Amino acid sequence: MNDSRKSDARVAVAQLRCALGNISPAHDTPIGVVHPYWARKPMNVLETIIEHLTSSDDLVIDPFMGSGTTVFAALRKNRRVVGSDLSALSQQLVSGLLDLIEHAERVLPEIRRLLAEHARMTLPWYMFDDSSYIERVRYTVAGDFAHGAFQLTPTEVVTKRQLGDKEAWGKRRAHSDKESLRRLPQVDKESAHFSCQPVDFSGIPLPANSRIAIPQGATLAHYFTSENIASINMLLQLIRESPLYPEHDAALKLILSASLPMLRLSDKKASSQWPYWRPKKDLTSRNPVLVLCSRFKQIAELVEWAKAELDVESLSGRHRALALAAQELTTQAVGGRARLVLTDPPYGDQVPYLEYSAMWNSVLGLELETSVASRELVRSDALHRRSDTSAYLARLREAFNANADLLSPDGILAWFYQDQDLRCWETIYEASVEANLQLLDVIPMPKQRRSLKTVTSPNTTLDGDLLCVFTSASSESPEFDANDLPATPYSDMGAQSYFDRYAQLISSALRSGRISELASRYGTVKRALAASEDTNVLVIR
């Protein structure tokens, strides 16, 4: 990169820092609320980054695309974009959203028709009396979740009346008397005849992993009632019989994949996005017809949002969604070099996304290569898949270098990252040297929320991300100058938030190349910052 381009990049990043400090993150866009994917980034934050670091029609790449927020942010800003993820669920979700948006006139009415047929066939299973249907059943749990050694005892039935247009429902009414509890959902075996092979929930084992609440001997059947399993299989059969299948498979199944967390046995509100967590004493099961009806409204709102916010007619040829690990991406695979690689790789303390997605993979018929887990960027102490810190760091380094290889000569690599372990930051530094990249800035992005953790310990909580921005380094780049540190002196950190001090520590260590010394001496961010507070000096000097 020549000096003028590098100067332009520094200016753009400085302006980006100011812009990010003045916006309120928006997570709940129609794209974000349709499917309960994990660790979504705010749409407006990604749009701001893309707007400051790229120009119209530039190529943006997200090698860890997840739910596809970067993909849609780039399209909204008239950029070309390639998203990729080793998770088949991620690729299915993003492809389905794009297909739905581009072919809404065909796909949306077909989804509505499928849901109407599904309701006609399965709603009678949930009939409570002549004018109301079971909306949910609440249970107490006895026994152990391990190996499915538990029993459900119904404690309450909640009903709703269907209103005139058959897509609207009245208020809930709760029943806890013995007579009502005897009138639980019953599958009509004749109407539940499957012409296609149904998904065998009891034959789908889930590898035990205590970090994501999967006990020993768990199968997918332990997370759903038999009625809801039959209902899900009925909808899958209707989708396979649709005239739009398999051409629009991902878009048609979007309604089901978005609803699965609400169809499982869960807590009263089903507010948790973690698919395998269940209360130990009380569980709730919901009527799939009502859940699907609610999700359809959100999908219809998404289509209307896309019409208003995206140039739908020009989307074709401007996007691709791949199912490749970040380490496997090449310029050939993505079709060119990127002006911006913008991504959010898994942090060292996160749990396996592939195991999170097992529920969806099995139900949606997604197949994973047997070796895919060995390429996931994750630490895991589960017996079936151990991945220690050294393995995680090796893949972190490999992913960073692969991301760097996708850049154009004046390209920018922007990584969201956050980890207490300074060895992770040491690995990123070493990878940046190997890739001949130079750090432009580390921008702190604390999450703007008041959790109990942040209220009780506001000066010791890492709650948010750092945006680390790199660009191609020149062979004539000057040696690091201590005066090139961020504007706020380290000795004035007492006036800064904990997250600001964290960002400055990492920025200083990466710029100076002293991150290895810092990792060796302190091990964690918390210890390094505590030492700096005790001495009131920059601990890496």
Side-chain angles (χ1 to χ4, degrees):
M1 177 186 291
N2 62 39
D3 290 342
S4 63
R5 286 183 176 178
K6 192 174 296 182
S7 176
D8 290 344
R10 287 196 179 101
V11 171
V13 172
Q15 293 172 342
L16 171 63
R17 173 184 270 267
C18 293
L20 291 175
N22 292 320
I23 65 175
S24 178
H27 289 273
D28 295 331
T29 62
I31 288 289
V33 301
V34 164
H35 195 287
Y37 209 87
W38 312 278
R40 295 193 313 266
K41 287 289 176 284
M43 175 78 78
N44 60 339
V45 167
L46 297 181
E47 287 178 348
T48 301
I49 295 169
I50 290 168
E51 197 166 34
H52 279 77
L53 302 183
T54 65
S55 300
S56 181
D57 210 40
D58 278 345
L59 177 62
V60 177
I61 298 176
D62 185 351
F64 297 92
M65 71 176 172
S67 62
T69 310
T70 299
V71 172
F72 291 98
L75 291 174
R76 198 175 179 196
K77 292 300 177 181
N78 297 311
R79 273 59 165 176
R80 295 175 295 122
V81 64
V82 175
S84 186
D85 205 292
L86 87 167
S87 169
L89 173 62
S90 169
Q91 200 272 346
Q92 170 95 354
L93 169 60
V94 176
S95 296
L97 288 168
L98 290 166
D99 188 29
L100 172 68
I101 289 169
E102 291 188 81
H103 302 96
E105 291 185 1
R106 294 184 66 202
V107 175
L108 197 62
E110 178 63 1
I111 294 176
R112 181 188 289 272
R113 185 191 71 80
L114 292 173
L115 294 185
E117 181 66 8
H118 176 264
R120 184 188 69 78
M121 298 177 72
T122 65
L123 192 56
W125 304 347
Y126 300 86
M127 181 175 287
F128 184 75
D129 55 34
D130 291 341
S131 58
S132 67
Y133 296 88
I134 295 172
E135 189 261 347
R136 66 183 64 195
V137 180
R138 291 175 176 143
Y139 303 90
T140 58
V141 185
D144 193 339
F145 284 168
H147 302 285
F150 65 91
Q151 299 80 40
L152 300 179
T153 301
T155 58
E156 185 178 62
V157 175
V158 179
T159 62
K160 277 189 174 184
R161 295 180 183 275
Q162 195 173 32
L163 302 181
D165 65 2
K166 294 188 178 182
E167 291 186 1
W169 295 82
K171 295 182 179 180
R172 294 175 183 164
R173 184 182 175 189
H175 312 263
S176 57
D177 58 283
K178 291 183 179 180
E179 177 60 29
S180 294
L181 295 178
R182 293 193 187 101
R183 298 157 69 182
L184 294 179
Q186 295 292 325
V187 176
D188 182 343
K189 293 183 179 180
E190 292 186 6
S191 64
H193 173 71
F194 298 106
S195 58
C196 303
Q197 182 67 33
V199 176
D200 179 12
F201 282 59
S202 62
I204 300 173
L206 299 172
N209 190 329
S210 60
R211 291 195 68 190
I212 55 176
I214 301 179
Q216 293 286 341
T219 72
L220 200 56
H222 298 157
Y223 293 84
F224 296 85
T225 62
S226 58
E227 291 77 24
N228 283 13
I229 289 173
S231 182
I232 290 167
N233 272 314
M234 186 61 69
L235 181 55
L236 285 170
Q237 175 172 300
L238 291 171
I239 290 172
R240 287 192 290 264
E241 294 171 349
S242 167
L244 300 188
Y245 179 87
E247 180 183 0
H248 298 285
D249 171 67
L252 294 175
K253 288 180 178 175
L254 181 63
I255 185 73
L256 177 57
S257 66
S259 302
L260 278 178
M262 296 289 288
L263 301 183
R264 65 183 172 91
L265 289 161
S266 61
D267 58 337
K268 290 183 179 180
K269 296 183 179 179
S271 57
S272 173
Q273 57 178 320
W274 315 124
Y276 307 107
W277 180 85
R278 301 183 307 183
K280 293 183 178 181
K281 294 184 178 180
D282 301 293
L283 290 176
T284 298
S285 180
R286 293 163 182 77
N287 184 331
V289 173
L290 277 75
V291 172
L292 292 165
C293 178
S294 175
R295 284 298 190 188
F296 180 80
K297 292 178 182 177
Q298 292 179 326
I299 288 176
E301 290 173 1
L302 164 64
V303 169
E304 291 304 312
W305 174 87
K307 288 179 181 178
E309 300 294 334
L310 299 173
D311 185 0
V312 177
E313 298 298 324
S314 70
L315 289 185
S316 179
R318 298 181 64 82
H319 59 78
R320 293 177 67 194
L322 307 176
L324 294 173
Q327 306 94 300
E328 300 169 336
L329 284 181
T330 63
T331 54
Q332 290 76 21
V334 300
R337 293 192 174 274
R339 178 70 176 91
L340 174 64
V341 173
L342 173 60
T343 196
D344 181 26
Y347 311 152
D349 62 347
Q350 289 180 338
V351 287
Y353 284 85
L354 289 178
E355 288 171 48
Y356 275 163
S357 64
M359 176 195 299
W360 286 271
N361 293 339
S362 302
V363 173
L364 301 179
L366 304 177
E367 296 183 1
L368 296 180
E369 298 178 22
T370 55
S371 63
V372 68
S374 67
R375 303 195 297 278
E376 187 175 17
L377 189 61
V378 70
R379 288 180 176 129
S380 174
D381 57 2
L383 293 177
H384 67 279
R385 181 169 71 138
R386 291 192 180 277
S387 178
D388 61 14
T389 297
S390 61
Y392 171 80
L393 295 178
R395 291 173 198 157
L396 180 69
R397 188 176 196 145
E398 189 180 1
F400 188 97
N401 281 319
N403 284 195
D405 286 343
L406 300 174
L407 294 175
S408 62
D410 61 346
I412 292 175
L413 175 62
W415 261 34
F416 287 98
Y417 199 74
Q418 201 275 85
D419 205 289
Q420 273 274 9
D421 191 338
L422 287 167
R423 290 174 297 176
C424 296
W425 294 104
E426 180 183 18
T427 298
I428 288 175
Y429 170 75
E430 292 171 350
S432 71
V433 172
E434 291 174 5
N436 201 31
L437 294 187
Q438 185 180 72
L439 180 69
L440 290 176
D441 201 357
V442 176
I443 303 174
M445 302 189 65
K447 290 181 180 176
Q448 297 180 11
R449 65 184 184 188
R450 289 181 62 81
S451 65
L452 178 62
K453 187 177 180 182
T454 55
V455 170
T456 56
S457 55
N459 295 319
T460 60
T461 300
L462 298 185
D463 192 15
D465 297 291
L466 301 184
L467 180 65
C468 307
V469 186
F470 298 84
T471 192
S472 300
S474 166
S475 58
E476 293 84 21
S477 295
E479 292 297 320
F480 172 78
D481 184 346
N483 293 322
D484 195 27
L485 292 171
T488 306
Y490 212 84
S491 59
D492 291 340
M493 286 197 310
Q496 295 179 292
S497 71
Y498 185 73
F499 215 78
D500 286 333
R501 289 181 285 128
Y502 169 35
Q504 187 163 343
L505 173 75
I506 296 301
S507 178
S508 301
L510 294 180
R511 287 172 181 267
S512 67
R514 305 285 295 279
I515 184 65
S516 296
E517 179 184 336
L518 202 65
S520 176
R521 186 184 302 178
Y522 299 106
T524 68
V525 171
K526 186 174 292 187
R527 290 173 184 167
L529 286 178
S532 71
E533 290 173 350
D534 290 341
T535 61
N536 201 34
V537 297
L538 188 61
V539 294
I540 62 172
R541 286 180 177 170

